[in-house]
Amino acid sequence: MIRPQWAMGAAAGRARVRLRWRPIALSRRHLLIALVIFGALLRGGRLAWQPLWADEGYSIYFATEPVGRMLALTAHDIHPPLYYALLHGWIAIVGSANPLYLRLFSLLLALPALILCGFLADAFFPARRRVALIALTLLLWNPLALYYSQEIRMYGLAMTLSMAATLCCWQWLQRVEAGQRAGRWLGAYVVVAILALYTLYYLGFLLLSHSLWVVWRLRRRLPVLWHWLGAEVMVALLYLPWLLYTATALRAYVASKVQSDQDAPLGLFTYVGRHLLAFTAGHQPLPAPWDFLRGSGLAALLLLSVVAGVRWYGARSKHATLGGRHSMILRSDNELLDSEDRKGTLAAHYSIWSSRAYQALWLFLGVPLLIGYGVNLRYPFFPEGGERLLLFVLPYFLLLVAAAIDAIWQQWLVAWVALAALLVSAVLGVWTFYTQPRYQADDYRPVVQQVVQQGADGDTLLATFPWQVGFWRAYAPLLGLTAAHGPHVQLISDGAALWGPAVQHMIDDALRQGTLWAPALLTIGSDLPAQLEHYLQPRAINFENRWVSATTRLYAWRAMPPAALQPEAQSWAGVHLVGAGLSATTLVAANGPLMVSLAWQLSADAQTYGVTLRLVRDEHTWAHRDYSPVGALAQGASGAEPVDQVGLLAPPGLPPGEYTLQLGLVNADDALIAPIAAKPAQFLVPLGTVVVTAPDTVVPAFRLPMQHALAKANTADALQLLGYSSDRGPLLAGDQIAVSLFWRAQSTPATARQLYVSLVDRHGQGVAGWEGWPLPDYPVTAWGAGALVQTPVRVQLAATIPTGDYQLQAGLIDAAGQKGPATPVGALRVVQRQASFTLSTPPQHPLPEPVQFGAHVELIGYATTLVEGRLTVTLTWHVLQTLLPPHHIFLHVRNEAGDLVAQQDTPPLTTAGPAPTGSWQPGEYLITTHELALPAVPLTTLQLQVGLYVPATGVRLPASAGGAPVGDVATLALQP
């Protein structure tokens, strides 16, 4: 590998440049190649980990439209069309809008910047070989460059084109100043400049700085300057059609954006400070308490500025003192050589800080920043992360920094401290980039997954923003959805989505075909979501209404007649269910819709509750629907007697048979199901029986409500394991793992099968497991060809399982009892709760005789504290043996007449956190905490009853004291 080196000489009365070539040292060449490869690998990590965000959604939407329409859309956008056109071609080549492939495309466009960085460094500082190594190191670790090399936007490409244009400009100018022919470099510049302008409007500021530099350098050589001006005219003519096509629309877009966002212009110090911080440490703050380290890069810049200023001033003064003692000749590699004795060291130092390479780099950096600042003042639109618009000047900033470090390299301590500080802020920024979740409010993967799984072929997804269409086109195919199946996305408008007759017509058409799904962004102040809901409420039944992120709520509506009400009589605190009705008694396990009517009476002092509806069979909830508060889904005016109209879907995979639809109310304070008044052991009300039937046609597997689909279905004896849903953890030792496995029968199996689920440690040793068949009425021999089936299993963990990471596995057992291959179905972490086997703090009120519940636990004492009507109770227990299945603790407060005046029913909770009864270890002492709201009566008139029960059945443990039965509660006196 060779590189050019320039030398100055004199001939025929004028200076001329001679091109010499010499080999680059292998060590440097290999190091540069290694740095480029390392930078490429560093940028290629976790491409699909982070969710898409809104701007990436726009890119995908534009790129998946036909080219003609894409051009029309980008004319109204803030960026030109080249990147979108290239992305369109890439999608056509790979045949997918998979975010992994699209981010890989951006990465491929951004990677040449690493190579160009070395070329630029050698072009600007050909005799300072260390500059390229330093600059490339800074660039490959730079978090801002890494960030936008992955993003599905044009900024990485813009940086590549920026460096290519600068290199072409610099090489052309060097050659024409040396009297050499350089037409190819100028032609290359024209091509790159056109590509740059069609990629990012702000790149025009860089091209302007190029022209300023060339005009200044060639101001006395007009014949050569006309070549440059002719090239600039050619660039302008090639760009003019786009400007004419988009000028009006772009001006209107920017004006509307400024008006809608209402950003304040940034002050000069804020503007510069934000760019310097982004250029050194990236956008993302570091986790506390390390965020202050982001400023280490700025501290390094300050150190470099001080040292460089001192050296520049000193060298300049000594250069002036030397006067005419030496005849100095400026070489094009930016070093000064003494023509007499080549000892002009001090003059060379002065040249380092005043050479034209520095002047050009400052110009290429400063002009875009200055114009960008002016645009910010005139059009104050600078969103979070807005520094990305000037990412293309980052290489010039890093080249200046690298040259400054190289210039003080002899002061090795200062140079290394500055370089280390810059790398600290950069490496921490990269670490944050790869470890901290981003765009959580924009994560539409849960939205798309739910709509795909619960949707039907005739359904419609109503999008109010183009980026939502982009999200759908990227994510839905990953779940298996094809163009032949729905829901189908419908965009209200390419611009501002406003309520009107066209939107009403769109909604009516969607309701005639099936369910209307509408993800609503509720943090921008738009009235459209409220207008949609107001229009839909009297015309359709709500099947979904929940927050899926901090900014987005998912709605689903379907036109169905209301169900007739039947009398009911169930009560909670101030809330009475007086009627209920179901629209059908038969459901198809293919997202078959069930409409439920619920009539309520609300007292003036009614407590705030949420509602949960559950389709239950064999103590397992197969489908559910939650909403809040009571009366939220009433059609018509809300009041004291609302009638909620709520929809529920029966997902694929439900075994055929009878199910019970149950209703419960959920406390707003603790999110626990509230017991029914006068029935403290009952929590759910049965509303009716529903028969679920298998679908007549094969349902596609992507409709199954599974969290995780296997990359490759595991097949055994015509049964395919497609995926699973399981607890994400961490779980406590002694808790239960709930896992559902999802199957497809390729054909009806000839023999019955059993199922096993195992939890294994990192050595492959089993620590917990379950074997059997969870569907006794639905063996595999009853499955038809193409049937989709869910098999729910609960695996009990022992209380003594050590803290660690474990793997959950599942497989089939054949008729001979042989286990088939195990399939991993999720990794989770288990934490063993810390247990105390000594009673360190005796209870405030020890019981004279402990009350024993079953053979499992003794209540040995308690303590109470009353503050402003809130009673805090701590119960001290001595565990005799682990209590399974998991039990809850109930506390009932009764008055002298025996009436229940306050209660709490919760899983065991200590000051250290949850303590499920399955985690209780023999010999352990633990203290559980409870809180109740008491009526304003003397404590001496109240009694506290304590007991344990199974929440699924309401069965209580029997209590005894001194070996004699005392019922199923321990009665405690409340003392003031």
Side-chain angles (χ1 to χ4, degrees):
M1 180 177 179
I2 56 177
R3 68 173 176 82
Q5 182 169 341
W6 299 95
M8 295 291 294
R14 63 180 179 86
R16 63 185 176 86
V17 176
R18 183 173 67 256
L19 181 63
R20 300 185 308 179
W21 296 91
R22 65 173 181 170
I24 295 179
L26 286 178
S27 59
R28 180 175 182 267
R29 180 184 66 183
H30 291 162
L31 185 55
L32 286 170
I33 293 173
L35 287 174
V36 170
I37 294 174
F38 176 74
L41 294 176
L42 185 64
R43 281 153 171 72
R46 312 194 79 174
L47 287 176
W49 178 53
Q50 300 286 3
L52 300 171
W53 75 292
D55 280 12
E56 292 180 300
Y58 272 112
S59 295
I60 299 171
Y61 171 64
F62 291 154
T64 50
E65 290 291 298
V67 174
R69 176 164 166 74
M70 178 197 69
L71 292 175
L73 289 171
T74 51
H76 295 76
D77 186 54
I78 201 170
H79 296 298
L82 178 61
Y83 175 80
Y84 304 126
L86 295 175
L87 187 62
H88 178 92
W90 175 260
I91 292 173
I93 292 172
V94 300
S96 172
N98 186 328
L100 173 64
Y101 300 154
L102 304 190
R103 285 181 173 158
L104 176 62
F105 176 72
S106 290
L107 180 62
L108 294 176
L109 295 179
L111 281 181
L114 295 175
I115 303 172
L116 289 169
C117 180
F119 281 108
L120 273 180
D122 279 347
F124 280 96
F125 305 100
R128 299 171 61 184
R129 298 151 60 81
R130 194 182 296 113
V131 173
L133 295 173
I134 298 173
L136 184 54
T137 300
L138 292 175
L139 181 61
L140 72 88
W141 278 110
N142 187 271
L144 198 68
L146 189 149
Y147 190 112
Y148 289 108
S149 67
Q150 287 193 359
E151 188 171 274
I152 310 172
R153 298 293 283 169
M154 66 293 299
Y155 305 113
L157 173 61
M159 187 167 68
T160 296
L161 293 174
S162 163
M163 299 171 76
T166 299
L167 184 63
C168 292
C169 172
W170 187 261
Q171 295 287 19
W172 177 80
L173 185 59
Q174 291 279 60
R175 281 161 172 75
V176 298
E177 286 186 328
Q180 297 178 348
R181 298 177 63 180
R184 286 182 295 179
W185 284 108
L186 188 60
Y189 181 84
V190 170
V191 173
V192 176
I194 286 296
L195 296 177
L197 289 173
Y198 276 98
T199 298
L200 188 73
Y201 290 117
Y202 270 42
L203 276 169
F205 306 156
L206 176 69
L207 302 184
L208 174 61
S209 69
H210 290 163
S211 289
L212 293 175
W213 176 251
V214 170
V215 169
W216 171 254
R217 295 294 305 172
L218 300 179
R219 62 191 183 279
R220 295 185 178 91
R221 302 181 62 180
L222 292 181
V224 179
L225 180 59
W226 280 113
H227 293 169
W228 174 266
L229 296 178
E232 293 288 75
V233 169
M234 183 179 298
V235 171
L237 290 175
L238 291 173
Y239 194 54
L240 183 61
W242 177 254
L243 287 181
L244 296 176
Y245 180 64
T246 192
T248 303
L250 179 62
R251 226 174 15 248
Y253 174 85
V254 172
S256 66
K257 199 70 176 172
V258 171
Q259 178 65 29
S260 62
D261 287 22
Q262 293 292 308
D263 287 340
L266 298 183
L268 180 60
F269 290 108
T270 301
Y271 180 85
V272 174
R274 283 185 57 167
H275 280 85
L276 289 178
L277 186 61
F279 284 178
T280 54
H283 288 316
Q284 289 183 274
L286 298 176
W290 307 108
D291 193 48
F292 75 95
L293 290 175
R294 294 183 73 214
S296 61
L298 297 181
L301 294 180
L302 179 61
L303 176 64
L304 285 173
S305 300
V306 172
V307 175
V310 170
R311 293 199 61 186
W312 178 84
Y313 181 78
R316 181 175 182 274
S317 300
K318 293 179 180 178
H319 174 66
T321 302
L322 289 174
R325 291 174 54 192
H326 299 286
S327 158
M328 312 303 296
I329 300 177
L330 179 63
R331 278 178 32 171
S332 62
D333 59 10
N334 310 312
E335 291 183 342
L336 285 173
L337 300 179
D338 191 328
S339 62
E340 296 178 355
D341 55 12
R342 297 181 179 276
K343 295 181 180 179
T345 306
L346 296 177
H349 281 311
Y350 172 68
S351 173
I352 286 175
W353 303 109
S354 60
S355 66
R356 60 183 177 181
Y358 283 97
Q359 296 168 3
L361 287 173
W362 277 112
L363 186 69
F364 300 160
L365 172 66
V367 168
L369 280 172
L370 184 62
I371 299 177
Y373 175 68
V375 172
N376 149 76
L377 296 178
R378 177 63 180 86
Y379 299 102
F381 169 58
F382 202 91
E384 191 68 30
E387 299 84 10
R388 59 182 176 265
L389 289 170
L390 289 170
L391 176 70
F392 60 86
V393 302
L394 174 66
Y396 316 124
F397 170 78
L398 296 180
L399 281 171
L400 286 168
V401 172
I405 293 175
D406 177 65
I408 62 172
W409 197 258
Q410 290 180 345
Q411 297 174 269
W412 63 269
L413 182 59
V414 177
W416 277 101
V417 166
L419 182 59
L422 286 165
L423 288 177
V424 164
S425 62
V427 171
L428 288 175
V430 172
W431 176 80
T432 304
F433 173 80
Y434 277 127
T435 59
Q436 299 300 312
R438 306 188 306 277
Y439 315 136
Q440 290 176 297
D442 293 307
D443 191 352
Y444 262 57
R445 289 175 292 191
V447 175
V448 175
Q449 184 179 52
Q450 181 173 349
V451 174
V452 168
Q453 291 177 348
Q454 294 189 325
D457 290 348
D459 290 357
T460 301
L461 176 71
L462 189 66
T464 52
F465 299 96
W467 49 263
Q468 293 173 318
V469 181
F471 288 167
W472 179 262
R473 292 174 178 174
Y475 289 137
L478 297 182
L479 299 171
L481 191 72
T482 65
H485 296 282
H488 302 284
V489 66
Q490 179 71 52
L491 178 63
I492 292 178
S493 172
D494 290 321
L498 302 175
W499 181 255
V503 179
Q504 296 178 13
H505 181 70
M506 194 180 298
I507 291 173
D508 294 338
D509 281 348
L511 290 177
R512 281 191 289 269
Q513 298 174 34
T515 300
L516 175 68
W517 300 85
L521 184 64
L522 298 179
T523 57
I524 59 173
S526 172
D527 293 332
L528 185 61
Q531 291 167 323
L532 285 170
E533 188 172 12
H534 179 74
Y535 182 79
L536 283 163
Q537 196 163 16
R539 293 171 173 81
I541 305 301
N542 181 270
F543 276 77
E544 187 59 276
N545 182 352
R546 72 179 184 94
W547 288 98
V548 290
S549 73
T551 62
T552 302
R553 198 170 184 92
L554 178 62
Y555 297 94
W557 300 85
R558 188 180 182 93
M560 292 179 66
L565 290 168
Q566 301 296 326
E568 283 283 350
Q570 304 291 343
S571 296
W572 294 262
V575 177
H576 311 280
L577 178 67
V578 296
L582 309 183
S583 64
T585 57
T586 302
L587 288 178
V588 179
N591 290 325
L594 175 67
M595 206 286 290
V596 183
S597 296
L598 300 171
W600 308 93
Q601 285 184 355
L602 306 179
S603 303
D605 58 349
Q607 185 173 331
T608 301
Y609 287 110
V611 180
T612 179
L613 288 168
R614 304 183 177 190
L615 200 60
V616 178
R617 181 183 181 186
D618 299 328
E619 299 182 1
H620 176 73
T621 299
W622 296 84
H624 70 94
R625 173 70 202 283
D626 301 331
Y627 69 94
S628 180
V630 172
L633 301 181
Q635 295 184 346
S638 60
E641 297 184 354
V643 178
D644 285 333
Q645 308 286 353
V646 55
L648 174 71
L649 297 172
L654 270 61
E658 289 190 354
Y659 292 75
T660 302
L661 183 67
Q662 298 182 346
L663 174 141
L665 296 191
V666 180
N667 283 309
D669 295 334
D670 53 22
L672 295 172
I673 300 178
I676 302 169
K679 300 178 183 178
Q682 185 176 347
F683 295 83
L684 296 173
V685 177
L687 297 181
T689 299
V690 177
V691 176
V692 173
T693 62
D696 296 331
T697 58
V698 175
V699 178
F702 56 75
R703 301 292 190 206
L704 285 169
M706 55 188 173
Q707 295 173 350
H708 310 284
L710 297 179
K712 182 179 180 181
N714 187 7
T715 304
D717 189 26
L719 297 178
Q720 285 187 316
L721 179 58
L722 302 175
Y724 63 94
S725 297
S726 64
D727 293 317
R728 298 178 182 270
L731 294 177
L732 283 177
D735 214 334
Q736 288 185 331
I737 306 173
V739 56
S740 290
L741 305 174
F742 297 86
W743 307 83
R744 175 170 53 198
Q746 292 180 314
S747 61
T748 301
T751 58
R753 288 289 186 271
Q754 299 290 303
L755 179 65
Y756 72 91
V757 178
S758 302
L759 188 70
V760 299
D761 60 19
R762 59 189 181 91
H763 302 294
Q765 299 298 315
V767 297
W770 179 93
E771 293 183 11
W773 188 246
L775 308 175
D777 299 329
Y778 198 42
V780 296
T781 53
W783 297 5
L788 301 176
V789 182
Q790 304 180 37
T791 53
V793 172
R794 287 189 174 271
V795 180
Q796 180 65 51
L797 301 180
T800 54
I801 290 181
T803 297
D805 296 315
Y806 295 86
Q807 178 71 54
L808 199 63
Q809 300 179 344
L812 292 171
I813 305 174
D814 63 21
Q818 295 296 318
K819 291 184 177 180
T823 300
V825 290
L828 56 87
R829 183 165 182 81
V830 177
V831 178
Q832 185 180 135
R833 184 178 56 80
Q834 186 173 0
S836 175
F837 296 92
T838 59
L839 185 60
S840 56
T841 304
Q844 179 186 14
H845 305 297
L847 297 182
E849 203 161 21
V851 177
Q852 181 172 320
F853 291 89
H856 301 83
V857 64
E858 293 178 322
L859 179 64
I860 62 176
Y862 67 103
T864 59
T865 303
L866 182 64
V867 178
E868 296 182 353
R870 304 294 296 184
L871 178 67
T872 300
V873 180
T874 59
L875 302 175
T876 303
W877 305 86
H878 178 223
V879 180
L880 305 177
Q881 58 178 295
T882 300
L883 180 54
L884 292 174
H887 283 58
H888 287 190
I889 299 173
F890 68 84
L891 280 73
H892 293 169
V893 178
R894 297 186 180 274
N895 59 20
E896 293 176 324
D899 298 327
L900 185 66
V901 296
Q903 72 179 90
Q904 188 203 55
D905 301 85
T906 63
L909 182 70
T910 69
T911 55
T917 61
S919 70
W920 294 2
Q921 300 184 43
E924 176 186 2
Y925 290 91
L926 77 159
I927 300 173
T928 60
T929 60
H930 312 266
E931 188 174 291
L932 305 93
L934 293 185
V937 297
L939 281 183
T940 53
T941 65
L942 303 175
Q943 283 188 333
L944 177 64
Q945 295 180 338
V946 177
L948 295 104
Y949 71 99
V950 179
T953 61
V955 175
R956 298 180 179 182
L957 278 179
S960 62
V966 294
D968 53 19
V969 297
T971 301
L972 311 176
L974 291 178
Q975 303 176 15

